[in-house]
Amino acid sequence: MKIAVLIFLLLLSPLHASANSSAPLYGIEFPPYNTAVADSGCDGKLLGEEEELARRTPSLKLHMSHRSAAADAAAGTTRKDSFLDSAKKDAIRIDTMRTRQVTLSGRRTTASSSPRRALSERLVATVESGVAIGSGEYLVDVYVGTPPRRFQLIMDTGSDLNWLQCAPCLDCFEQRGPVFDPAASTSYRNVTCGDKRCGLVSPPTAPRSCRSPRSDPCPYFYWYGDQSNTTGDLALEAFTVNLTAAGATRRVDGVAFGCGHWNRGLFHGAAGLLGLGRGPLSFASQLRGVYGHAFSYCLVDHGSAVGSKIVFGDDNVLLAHPQLNYTAFAPAAADSADTFYYVRLKSILVGGEILNISPETLGVAKDGSGGTIIDSGTTLSYFPDPAYQVVRQAFIDRMDKTYPLIADFPVLSPCYNVSGVENREVPEFSLLFTDGAVWDFPAENYFIQLEPDIMCLAVLGTPRSAMSIIGNYQQQNFHVLYDLQNNRLGFAPRRCAEV
């Protein structure tokens, strides 16, 4: 798990909506269960579809922020300890991703190919770092149920299932605030075991028999690593969120999520997880039928205490950015998991020079393993070990020799003593994609200062996996766009604290 960001997804009850609040949306479920979206005037009468379409393209914006260094200090945790801990958790996550690539073979499910309609506002939430709760991930505030209650969830583009710790909590990790209580919400309802949607989740190791298909709940089991998993019932609930217009909110009914009664792992006080992967159960996929096939986020740097935004729908400011660059998503192999967002990485550049790395090392193997994904839930960036060794050596060869190389520093390498150096210079680092797009990173996105006089390369190898991962540390202060309508990833440099 990683250095975190809090996405603040504001959810308000329609029974207590303010004068500026919009009427609820309903039936926002994963394809093909999306139903029409309705808005209501002051008299509660449903508007016609033509009137709704005339408003065009709403977006949902959620607030994000990063955990501050002060929070680490208060908890007695150093920056070095925090990052080394994140690297260990990344290793577990990567091993799980590799396993999922293989075990989900042949079980791919596709999301809807086109939106039913695009509303005119966008959904917005705040994203913050998870440093305050000891996590390397980014967090989002969500308001769930009727009446709505606030929960902090980890934002994860590398998984699909949305879930909360639920009462009765039979085996749960410690979280901030109370767990979600289904009995306290009038909008909660279980997905039954006879529902086709139940087939989209894996059952527990010893699944219960479905004796009453129309009434028995749908049990699920979802795993992330050796110590991280959630087990409970698949359910539907209401989420209330902010719109881009000041003071406006939308209630989204029928969002599928896991109500977890047995939850273990490295979730660091969060209430659960908001899945943003490509699978049909993810929050992004469920909203796609209403807000279009796009979402974007901007991750503040890891030392920031300020928040930024995640936006569901088009962000016109981002689309007009003069430095917005695109690279095409790679289609997932026929026998690989459909959760991940694959890109076609061709080469890695250090100091402006293309490194001698075999294309097969960075490509997708016949069994679906390998390839490159972009992931908000992994902290550092990772390359297959043969590629990483080339990258590592390239930095050693090109680094200013006045910086003494530190031998035997734990986990990260190379590391340098930069005592007394104010303006530190390091070789440039870029990723070249097969369609010609280049992602150039600023030095602070691939070198990290772990101690006052020590800086290390924030890139590692994956000895047991051929997968490459662009993690959230490399994504900080870039506005990243997932444009699924045009099957491409966009990225533009931006001061995310100002978004």
Side-chain angles (χ1 to χ4, degrees):
M1 301 291 173
K2 306 94 207 159
I3 297 180
V5 176
L6 282 158
I7 297 179
F8 292 73
L9 183 76
L10 267 162
L11 313 175
L12 291 177
S13 168
L15 300 178
H16 300 85
S18 69
N20 293 327
S21 298
S22 301
L25 303 179
Y26 60 89
I28 312 307
E29 302 168 5
F30 49 83
Y33 302 95
N34 285 351
T35 56
V37 178
D39 199 354
S40 61
C42 296
D43 59 356
K45 181 180 179 181
L46 291 179
L47 298 178
E49 181 167 348
E50 296 78 9
E51 294 174 295
E52 192 64 62
L53 285 172
R55 300 181 181 182
R56 243 328 275 180
T57 330
S59 55
L60 181 145
K61 183 183 282 187
L62 309 180
H63 213 82
M64 299 191 299
S65 65
H66 199 282
R67 177 180 67 179
S68 69
D72 267 344
T77 302
T78 66
R79 187 172 177 83
K80 174 183 172 182
D81 292 339
S82 178
F83 266 86
L84 295 183
D85 184 53
S86 292
K88 294 177 184 177
K89 295 167 189 170
D90 282 354
I92 296 174
R93 178 182 178 87
I94 292 167
D95 195 47
T96 303
M97 287 176 165
R98 178 185 60 81
T99 306
R100 183 170 282 130
Q101 277 185 313
V102 178
T103 58
L104 294 185
S105 298
R107 295 180 48 202
R108 304 179 65 223
T109 340
T110 56
S112 63
S113 59
S114 60
R116 294 184 64 91
R117 53 172 128 170
L119 301 180
S120 53
E121 52 292 269
R122 290 162 297 147
L123 298 182
V124 183
T126 302
V127 177
E128 295 182 353
S129 166
V131 173
I133 59 172
S135 170
E137 296 124 345
Y138 289 87
L139 306 178
V140 54
D141 270 7
V142 300
Y143 286 74
V144 183
T146 306
R149 289 176 172 83
R150 174 180 173 268
F151 300 93
Q152 291 184 344
L153 304 184
I154 293 169
M155 181 187 78
D156 188 6
T157 60
S159 64
D160 295 323
L161 184 68
N162 313 299
W163 61 270
L164 290 166
Q165 295 203 110
C166 279
C169 228
L170 303 177
D171 185 7
C172 292
F173 54 85
E174 186 177 351
Q175 73 172 60
R176 286 189 170 185
V179 299
F180 177 75
D181 184 1
S185 172
T186 60
S187 50
Y188 175 91
R189 67 184 189 277
N190 280 321
V191 171
T192 62
C193 62
D195 194 308
K196 291 181 179 180
R197 292 170 288 191
C198 189
L200 296 176
V201 293
S202 297
T205 306
R208 294 171 291 187
S209 59
C210 186
R211 298 178 180 177
S212 302
R214 295 186 178 182
S215 59
D216 285 355
C218 169
Y220 75 86
F221 172 73
Y222 201 95
W223 49 273
Y224 301 90
D226 295 340
Q227 298 177 338
S228 301
N229 56 72
T230 174
T231 303
D233 298 317
L234 188 65
L236 304 176
E237 248 303 1
F239 284 57
T240 306
V241 296
N242 275 347
L243 300 176
T244 44
T249 60
R250 284 278 190 186
R251 167 172 157 153
V252 184
D253 284 332
V255 174
F257 81 109
C259 191
H261 303 295
W262 297 267
N263 314 287
R264 292 184 176 183
L266 309 170
F267 300 109
H268 282 300
L273 189 141
L274 191 74
L276 297 174
R278 300 192 79 160
L281 279 175
S282 82
F283 191 72
S285 294
Q286 293 190 58
L287 290 182
R288 195 176 303 164
V290 178
Y291 289 96
H293 289 217
F295 71 93
S296 61
Y297 56 71
C298 204
L299 305 181
V300 293
D301 60 62
H302 283 190
S304 175
V306 224
S308 62
K309 305 283 190 302
I310 180 170
V311 178
F312 293 89
D314 291 327
D315 186 318
N316 295 329
V317 175
L318 172 59
L319 295 177
H321 195 294
Q323 294 177 273
L324 178 60
N325 203 352
Y326 292 101
T327 186
F329 282 123
D335 56 356
S336 70
D338 69 345
T339 295
F340 307 128
Y341 294 97
Y342 287 88
V343 289
R344 295 184 175 98
L345 181 61
K346 180 181 181 181
S347 305
I348 301 172
L349 292 80
V350 174
E353 298 180 22
I354 294 178
L355 303 184
N356 185 20
I357 299 173
S358 166
E360 289 75 19
T361 302
L362 301 175
V364 178
K366 292 182 179 180
D367 65 356
S369 63
T372 302
I373 68 170
I374 180 166
D375 181 29
S376 71
T378 301
T379 304
L380 306 180
S381 285
Y382 293 81
F383 301 103
D385 202 57
Y388 163 68
Q389 295 300 336
V390 174
V391 172
R392 175 183 176 276
Q393 190 60 47
F395 275 102
I396 292 175
D397 294 343
R398 293 164 175 79
M399 184 65 75
D400 190 325
K401 302 308 178 186
T402 61
Y403 303 155
L405 184 64
I406 298 175
D408 302 322
F409 193 86
V411 183
L412 300 179
S413 177
C415 293
Y416 296 90
N417 186 330
V418 291
S419 175
V421 181
E422 292 186 8
N423 299 318
R424 297 160 188 172
E425 296 183 359
V426 299
E428 297 174 344
F429 179 61
S430 308
L431 300 180
L432 172 63
F433 301 96
T434 57
D435 52 13
V438 178
W439 196 339
D440 296 315
F441 299 97
E444 58 268 24
N445 282 35
Y446 56 94
F447 265 91
I448 177 173
Q449 187 169 332
L450 292 180
E451 294 183 0
D453 297 329
I454 296 177
M455 70 176 189
C456 298
L457 181 66
V459 173
L460 283 173
T462 53
R464 293 189 295 168
S465 170
M467 179 182 284
S468 298
I469 302 173
I470 304 172
N472 64 46
Y473 194 78
Q474 277 60 53
Q475 297 176 51
Q476 61 185 343
N477 286 313
F478 278 92
H479 205 151
V480 182
L481 168 64
Y482 294 73
D483 180 358
L484 302 181
Q485 182 67 44
N486 297 299
N487 196 42
R488 59 186 181 174
L489 176 76
F491 46 92
R494 203 164 178 190
R495 298 310 301 174
C496 291
E498 300 172 3
V499 173

